């Protein structure tokens, strides 16, 4: 059993299989991270780097020309109090990070904030109910036990009340206490249309499963050195290795998938840690290289048997890509909040998460406190970005402002459209001669209406909290900047409209499964995806193990 | 969502503009290395205008920021050239030597640079230096006095986050 990639999806399926007694080999392109020594949060220069990237921890990809920016949507352009309008051009462009991801054991979860959300059940039936996107070939009820299992492995801390995402059992851990900034925002209140609750977080509110509780350092996106953040390396991978059934090979990049006869994948080619190219035959191949690299690998594996790429019989591989539709508004409160302390994104507002809750467009969104995601948790970013000036006046202003930045972030549904997809770049190749993925992205009007609602609401929340002076706003109208990327290998019932079935199994290639974010048929209304990826991967793992005659080991 | 709105590196377009305007030298050998006193002293003076000492925290140069900036140029040709050109430009605006100016005059020049067209040499130089200097200065604990920040986030975290 071979798993490609050890991010949210690859690690969860590897754990499920390994803990069922199946021998698993996991090939990971990126390096392994050691939380205690690789993360920099105990160093004086901790803030200088957003994340300690190691060699090969970033993939290589390209963007196709993006859309022209229009005057009528100019209110959605990103700006900053010091630099002015950020994107001065006429076209939408990728941000510096573009597709935010990490290659490494644990994948992008090493960098993630750790919000641990279940999808709104209505977000899984977008085609039947609203005529957009596609239906999931399984229901919330089908997924619920696997959500529970994923939450237990990760150690999710969450609040007692969470309807309409009904639960069969409470969260494994109680919710975290709110920070001062969250308490301030909570006062904006349900009466004004914003009900704030504790966010469900993959961060331990108590010691759990041999890992210590969070100490509220506010820097999950720089890598958690305590191992309390539930990234895939310290949870699923750690547990899978403990079974002795997982062989993990970091620094090992899969180059292509070789189809065989009888609708079965025969083998894969990969580059090992020494740089040698090898071939490995596989009984079952599970792909979990992420929503950009999985479609790329399938498309780049075209050969005589599969001229359009593997599993691309219906020309669906790469289509239906969905990106992060996001907005954030940052302001400076006029009371001390110590907003550089606490658990990132500790509170959330779900009031507009239902697919019909935003006027004039289908698809919801959510709001959360986002100083960490906006990187306003240390003096460098305050000094560089939100406290204008220099000289002695700047020093004084910084001392006054520090700890008072409040960012409201919004993430919204992204409906699939024909102009948003991944294909292979016709010219650019990697070191091994494999064409790079090329991301095409387009924001149609429904997305822009949603984004405008998100912008207005973020501003309103700050205003209601008494924060009037905005210092920065950033959105994905003028930048492609995606932390949550899904689709590209959609799951569904109809092989003509999808790549895999509800168990992530290719409609054509019987021993090929996919367990990463690429299989999502719709994005949800701003929910963070890892927990859903993990739940789906556990479900697939159980299905495979059952098929092979294995049972979960108690 | 993570981002940094500042583009602190010279873009291709900006480099080209500087080349076309004849600001970038064609004969690089005619240039003095950036770590020569000529540049170091100007850079120091500039950085201490951007980040002077006050009664709580030291100046940029007291924390060695000028040297760190010069060290950073060794692997970045465009940055190295920007610093050389910027320092020469400052001297040119100062009748030969920026370091001879009194603080109010230095401040006046920096204010002008800050307002200049964002693709011009003075603005590119000012914005890049401000950006880099703030990063280097505020990564030193000696600069944190008065902020309510006593130590890096770990290993102790902020257990008092609710107060
Ligand atoms: C800054 C940031 C913040 C985020 N915050 C949250 C959050 O709070 N909550 C949440 O739920 N989600 C969050 N996310 C998103 C979340 O991390 C991703 O959605 C999730 O990790 C995707 O899982 P995946 O398995 O699809 O891919 P990934 O986790 O990206 O894993 C893919 C893995 O495959 C490997 N790989 C790729 N190609 C190959 C190859 N050819 N051979 C071998 N290996 C290969 C990669 O190296 C990588 O390790 C965040 C992401 C980022 C970047
Ligand atoms: S806030 Fe908590 S979970 Fe996040 S990095 Fe710090 S200690 Fe880890």
């Amino acid at each position: 059993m071979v798993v490609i990639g050890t991010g949210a999806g690859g690690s969860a399926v590897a754990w499920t299989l390994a803990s069922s007694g199946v021998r698993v080999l996991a090939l990971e392109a990126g390096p392994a991270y050691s939380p205690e020594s690789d993360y920099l949060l105990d160093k004086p220069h901790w803030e200088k780097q957003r994340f300690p990237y190691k060699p090969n921890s970033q993939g290589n990809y390209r963007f196709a020309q993006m859309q022209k920016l229009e005057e009528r949507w100019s209110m959605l352009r990103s700006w900053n109090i010091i630099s002015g309008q950020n994107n001065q051009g006429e076209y939408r462009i990728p941000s510096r990070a573009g597709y935010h991801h990490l290659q490494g054991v644990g994948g992008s979860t090493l960098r993630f904030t750790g919000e641990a959300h279940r999808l709104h059940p209505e977000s899984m039936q977008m085609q039947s109910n609203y005529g957009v996107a596609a239906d999931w070939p399984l229901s919330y009820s089908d997924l619920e036990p696997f959500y529970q299992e994923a939450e237990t492995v990760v150690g999710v801390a969450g609040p007692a009340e969470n309807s309409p995402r009904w639960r069969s059992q409470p969260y494994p851990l109680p919710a975290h206490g709110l920070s001062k900034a969250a308490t301030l925002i909570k006062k904006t209140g349900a009466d004004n249309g914003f009900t704030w609750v504790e966010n469900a977080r993959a961060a331990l509110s108590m010691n759990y499963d041999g890992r210590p509780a969070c100490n509220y350092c506010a820097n999950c996106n720089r890598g958690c050195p305590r191992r309390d953040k539930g990234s895939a390396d310290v949870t699923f991978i750690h547990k899978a290795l403990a079974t002795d059934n997982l062989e993990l090979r970091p620094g090992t990049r899969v180059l292509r998938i070789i189809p065989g006869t009888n609708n079965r994948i025969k083998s894969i080619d990969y580059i090992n840690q020494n740089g040698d190219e090898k071939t490995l035959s596989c009984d079952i191949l599970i792909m979990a290289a992420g929503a950009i690299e999985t479609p790329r690998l399938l498309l780049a594996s075209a050969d005589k048997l599969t001229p359009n790429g593997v599993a691309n019989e219906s020309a669906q591989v790469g289509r239906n890509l969905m990106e992060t539709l996001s907005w954030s508004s940052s302001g400076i409160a006029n009371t001390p909040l110590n907003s550089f302390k606490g658990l990132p994104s500790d509170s959330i507002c779900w009031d507009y998460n239902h697919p019909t809750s935003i006027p004039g467009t289908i698809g919801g969104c959510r709001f959360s406190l986002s100083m960490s995601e906006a990187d306003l948790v240390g003096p460098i970013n305050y000094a560089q970005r939100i406290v204008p000036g220099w000289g002695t006046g700047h020093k004084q202003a910084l001392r006054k402002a520090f700890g008072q930045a409040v960012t409201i972030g919004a993430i919204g549904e992204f409906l699939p459209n024909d102009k948003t997809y991944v294909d292979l770049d016709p010219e650019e190749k990697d070191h091994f001669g494999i064409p790079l993925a090329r991301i095409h992205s387009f924001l149609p009007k429904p997305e822009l209406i949603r984004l405008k609602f998100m912008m207005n609401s973020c501003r309103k929340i700050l205003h209601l909290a008494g924060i009037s002076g905005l210092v920065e706003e950033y959105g994905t109208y003028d930048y492609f900047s995606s932390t949550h990327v899904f689709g590209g290998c959609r799951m569904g019932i109809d092989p003509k409209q999808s790549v895999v079935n509800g168990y992530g199994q290719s409609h054509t290639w019987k021993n090929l499964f996919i367990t990463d974010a690429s299989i999502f048929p719709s994005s949800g209304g701003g929910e963070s995806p890892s927990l859903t990826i993990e739940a789906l991967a556990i479900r697939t793992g159980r299905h495979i193990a059952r098929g092979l005659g294995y049972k979960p080991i108690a | 969502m993570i981002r940094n709105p500042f583009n602190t590196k010279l873009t291709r377009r900006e480099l080209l503009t500087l080349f076309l305007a004849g600001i970038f030298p064609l004969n690089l050998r005619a240039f003095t290395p950036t770590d020569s006193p000529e540049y170091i002293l100007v850079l120091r003076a500039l950085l201490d205008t951007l980040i002077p000492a006050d009664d709580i925290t030291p100046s940029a140069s007291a924390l060695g920021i000028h040297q760190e900036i010069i060290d950073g140029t060794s692997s970045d040709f465009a940055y190295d050239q920007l610093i050389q050109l910027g320092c020469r430009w400052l001297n040119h605006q100062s009748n030969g030597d920026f370091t001879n100016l009194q603080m109010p005059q230095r401040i006046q020049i920096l204010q002008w640079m800050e307002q200049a067209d964002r693709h011009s040499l003075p603005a590119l130089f000012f914005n890049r230096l401000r950006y880099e200097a703030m990063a280097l200065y505020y990564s030193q604990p000696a600069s944190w006095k008065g902020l309510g920040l006593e130590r890096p986030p770990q290993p102790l975290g902020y257990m008092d986050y609710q107060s």
Side-chain angles (χ1 to χ4, degrees):
Chain A
M1 183 88 52
V2 178
V3 178
I4 305 175
T6 59
S11 66
V13 77
W15 167 76
T16 310
L17 290 163
S19 60
S20 300
V22 183
R23 294 281 308 154
V24 179
L25 171 63
L27 307 179
E28 168 53 57
Y33 274 81
S34 161
E36 293 78 6
S37 53
D38 286 330
Y39 300 144
L40 304 174
L41 290 174
D42 58 344
K43 306 284 184 297
H45 58 279
W46 62 274
E47 194 193 352
K48 258 166 81 183
Q49 257 185 304
R50 191 63 175 134
F51 188 85
Y53 295 107
K54 289 184 170 185
N56 294 325
S57 64
Q58 288 287 277
N60 209 350
Y61 53 90
R62 294 290 177 268
F63 285 93
Q65 171 74 55
M66 281 185 246
Q67 75 211 73
K68 198 160 186 200
L69 299 170
E70 293 175 69
E71 187 52 39
R72 64 186 170 133
W73 298 108
S74 59
M75 78 294 269
L76 294 173
R77 281 186 176 244
S78 309
W79 65 275
N80 167 277
I81 195 165
I82 296 174
S83 63
Q85 187 174 293
N86 292 338
N87 174 355
Q88 302 252 316
E90 290 175 45
Y91 289 87
R92 185 169 184 245
I93 52 173
S95 68
R96 203 185 293 177
Y99 162 43
H100 299 249
H101 69 285
L102 196 90
Q103 292 187 167
V105 175
S108 303
T109 70
L110 299 185
R111 283 199 56 201
F112 82 164
T113 306
E115 294 181 302
H117 298 155
R118 297 175 170 210
L119 273 190
H120 193 300
E122 289 266 331
S123 294
M124 298 168 76
Q125 304 300 321
M126 296 295 282
Q127 180 56 233
S128 309
N129 293 344
Y130 313 107
V132 295
D135 286 352
W136 289 50
L138 69 163
S139 67
Y140 182 88
S141 312
D142 295 327
L143 204 52
E144 203 281 337
F146 303 100
Y147 269 135
Q148 193 68 43
E149 216 172 332
E151 287 167 346
T152 306
V153 174
V154 166
V156 176
E161 213 283 307
N162 60 2
S163 151
R165 298 165 170 78
W166 60 266
R167 317 178 48 83
S168 53
Q169 290 169 51
Y171 280 106
L173 292 168
H176 291 267
L178 293 183
S179 60
K180 278 182 87 173
T183 309
L184 173 79
I185 292 298
K186 195 167 183 169
K187 289 190 189 132
T188 60
D191 293 350
N192 291 310
F194 299 100
T195 318
W196 292 89
V197 292
E198 291 93 342
N199 203 352
R201 297 287 278 103
L204 304 180
S205 55
M206 298 162 72
N207 295 350
Y208 180 80
D209 204 18
R211 292 153 54 211
C214 168
N215 66 11
Y216 303 100
C217 80
N219 273 285
C220 304
N221 300 114
R222 287 185 161 80
C224 178
R226 286 172 71 78
R227 297 174 183 253
D228 70 284
K229 184 181 85 168
S231 50
D233 54 336
V234 300
T235 55
F236 291 103
I237 293 290
H238 173 74
K239 283 177 171 293
L241 287 170
T243 65
D244 277 339
N245 286 326
L246 172 66
E247 182 186 346
L248 174 63
R249 292 193 203 159
T252 306
R253 176 171 290 281
V254 176
L255 299 180
R256 63 187 75 81
I257 292 147
I258 317 286
T261 50
N262 298 330
N263 289 345
R264 293 184 72 79
I265 299 301
K266 187 172 81 178
S267 57
I268 53 172
D269 291 342
Y270 68 96
I271 294 283
N272 71 11
Q273 272 183 322
N274 304 324
D276 304 323
E277 187 167 334
K278 301 273 177 197
T279 298
L280 184 74
S281 58
C282 27
D283 288 340
I284 292 182
L285 178 64
I286 303 174
M287 298 185 70
I292 301 298
E293 286 296 320
T294 289
R296 175 197 177 208
L297 262 180
L298 291 170
L299 293 172
S301 299
D303 78 352
K304 270 187 240 136
L305 269 178
T306 53
N308 298 322
V310 172
N312 198 22
E313 294 73 24
S314 308
Q316 290 296 305
V317 172
R319 314 299 308 183
N320 307 307
L321 186 74
M322 293 164 284
E323 58 183 82
T324 317
L325 188 77
S326 71
W327 182 268
S328 68
S329 298
S330 299
I332 300 191
N334 44 27
T335 44
L337 293 171
N338 280 335
S339 64
F340 60 94
K341 300 182 178 183
L343 182 66
S345 206
D346 58 354
S347 66
I348 191 156
C349 167
W350 291 114
D351 292 354
Y352 301 91
N353 173 241
H354 186 277
T356 58
S357 52
I358 300 180
T361 187
I362 294 294
C365 72
R366 58 67 181 243
F367 302 94
S368 56
L369 210 53
S370 304
M371 284 77 79
S372 171
E373 289 84 344
D375 204 6
L376 290 175
V377 284
I380 294 178
N381 278 279
Y382 270 69
Q384 288 176 328
R385 285 167 44 201
I386 62 167
V387 178
W390 39 275
T392 45
H394 182 259
K395 281 190 165 178
Q396 284 155 10
L398 179 63
R399 283 173 202 138
K400 191 160 176 288
F402 192 64
Q404 291 175 209
V406 177
T407 302
I408 302 297
I411 301 182
E413 176 110 30
F414 189 100
L415 298 172
N417 68 66
D418 283 351
K419 293 187 193 165
T420 302
Y421 58 97
V422 201
D423 66 2
L424 298 178
D425 192 283
E427 280 152 26
E428 304 254 15
K429 297 191 162 78
D430 65 14
H431 294 317
F432 314 106
I434 313 287
L436 296 181
R438 178 174 60 171
I439 299 172
H440 300 253
S441 160
F442 181 75
L443 296 188
K445 196 171 167 197
E447 267 51 43
L448 295 174
I449 294 173
R450 197 175 307 112
L451 193 58
K452 191 171 168 197
F453 174 86
M454 289 155 57
M455 172 189 80
N456 286 334
S457 303
C458 287
R459 288 179 182 174
K460 189 170 170 195
I461 294 164
L462 286 176
H463 178 74
L464 288 167
I467 299 166
S468 50
L470 294 186
V471 287
E472 185 177 285
E473 293 192 297
Y474 190 87
T476 53
Y477 170 58
D478 50 356
Y479 286 101
F480 178 103
S481 181
S482 278
T483 49
H484 306 167
V485 185
F486 344 66
C489 295
R490 177 191 268 177
M491 63 174 157
I493 293 167
D494 180 0
K496 291 204 184 74
Q497 306 285 333
S498 56
V499 178
V500 295
N501 67 21
Y503 286 106
Q505 182 177 25
S506 161
H507 289 300
T508 312
W509 303 89
K510 296 305 167 203
N511 62 342
L512 175 66
F513 292 79
I514 303 177
T515 63
D516 57 30
S518 69
I519 65 176
F520 279 38
S522 59
S523 72
E527 293 90 338
S528 285
S530 296
L531 193 76
T532 304
I533 300 169
E534 288 158 1
L536 286 168
I538 295 172
R539 185 169 179 269
T540 293
R542 291 265 180 277
H543 174 75
I544 296 172
R546 211 180 309 121
L548 295 172
Y550 289 90
K551 285 196 185 117
I553 297 166
Chain B
M1 221 209 17
I2 316 297
R3 78 284 189 232
N4 194 327
F6 292 84
N7 188 357
T8 59
K9 303 263 185 241
L10 288 183
T11 61
R12 262 191 227 168
R13 185 183 144 206
E14 285 161 347
L15 265 175
L16 192 69
T17 315
L18 295 179
F19 266 114
L20 292 177
I23 291 171
F24 261 110
L26 291 177
N27 179 4
L28 296 171
R29 279 194 216 127
F31 265 58
T32 324
T34 312
D35 61 358
S36 67
E38 182 188 338
Y39 297 118
I40 296 184
L41 293 176
V42 177
L43 198 57
R44 252 183 106 123
L46 167 65
L47 291 168
D48 284 351
T49 314
L50 281 173
I51 310 180
D54 68 1
D55 44 2
I56 306 184
T57 48
S59 68
S61 68
L63 294 185
I65 306 305
H66 55 294
Q67 195 52 54
E68 285 195 60
I69 290 203
I70 284 171
D71 294 347
T73 60
S74 60
S75 55
D76 186 342
F77 174 73
Y79 186 30
D80 184 68
Q81 294 299 292
L82 182 69
I83 287 186
Q84 293 204 9
L85 291 163
C87 290
R88 293 169 89 202
W89 181 89
L90 275 178
N91 280 342
H92 185 71
Q93 299 304 307
S94 322
N95 284 333
D97 192 349
F98 181 71
T99 61
N100 278 341
L101 299 184
Q102 298 298 307
M103 196 48 121
Q105 293 167 298
R106 290 185 195 172
I107 290 176
Q108 241 180 349
I109 295 188
L110 262 66
Q111 280 168 342
W112 188 87
M113 294 167 82
E114 192 181 15
Q115 301 302 323
D117 173 70
R118 75 194 256 174
H119 300 295
S120 68
L121 170 70
L124 286 170
F125 181 51
F126 175 88
N127 288 331
R128 179 80 189 262
L129 260 272
R130 179 188 182 280
Y131 187 83
E132 300 289 343
M134 295 299 173
L136 295 167
Y137 183 77
Y138 287 105
S139 48
Q140 299 210 26
S143 70
W144 299 347
K145 261 197 188 157
L147 293 175
L149 180 74
E150 283 100 38
R151 47 184 161 75
Q154 291 289 355
L156 298 178
Y158 304 123
M159 293 305 288
D160 62 347
Y161 72 102
Q162 291 181 294
S163 60

